[in-house]
Amino acid sequence: MGDPETIKEVVAETLVEASTTFRKDQVLAYEKAAEKENNANARWVLERLLENAKVAEESRKPLCNDTGIPHLYLEIGEEVTIHGKFLEMVKEGVRIGLQRLP
């Protein structure tokens, strides 16, 4: 099943990372859209999204689009058995991760 402390820490750090960063492809898409955007207001919004992403990643604070409600998707193999203790460790990791975010 794995070391309980490792599972909790991986879940906590994953939650913080997901709350404070965009994927690289998202950043590239926003940058490309901002470059091509002709509407000044729309370009301004895209530029603010990019600015917010930079600040959020550097300060490890949530992105402005973060609702504060984590949604988890666990990918497991077909022949893997999950025990209740594993799910409890995941929940504890989420709790720890949320406490790390301002």
Side-chain angles (χ1 to χ4, degrees), residues 9-101:
E9 183 58 28
V10 167
V11 170
E13 278 305 303
T14 300
L15 185 137
V16 170
E17 183 178 338
S19 297
T20 60
T21 60
F22 283 135
R23 296 183 323 266
K24 299 291 184 229
D25 64 314
Q26 287 176 290
V27 172
L28 290 173
Y30 284 133
E31 288 172 341
K32 190 180 286 187
E35 288 173 15
K36 292 181 178 181
E37 183 55 62
N38 293 324
N39 181 291
N41 289 333
R43 185 175 41 259
W44 182 87
V45 169
L46 291 166
E47 290 168 349
R48 295 303 68 77
L49 284 169
L50 289 164
E51 183 181 329
N52 174 255
K54 184 178 178 182
V55 170
E57 187 169 359
E58 289 172 357
S59 64
R60 290 184 52 101
K61 293 184 179 172
L63 293 158
C64 65
N65 70 336
D66 187 342
T67 63
I69 302 171
H71 298 271
L72 292 107
Y73 298 91
L74 303 176
E75 294 184 16
I76 59 171
E78 291 181 20
E79 297 183 25
V80 174
T81 302
I82 295 181
H83 301 282
K85 292 279 185 193
F86 175 80
L87 294 177
E88 288 303 316
M89 288 180 268
V90 169
K91 288 179 186 177
E92 180 64 11
V94 169
R95 187 188 65 74
I96 292 167
L98 289 173
Q99 287 180 335
R100 290 180 185 169
L101 291 169

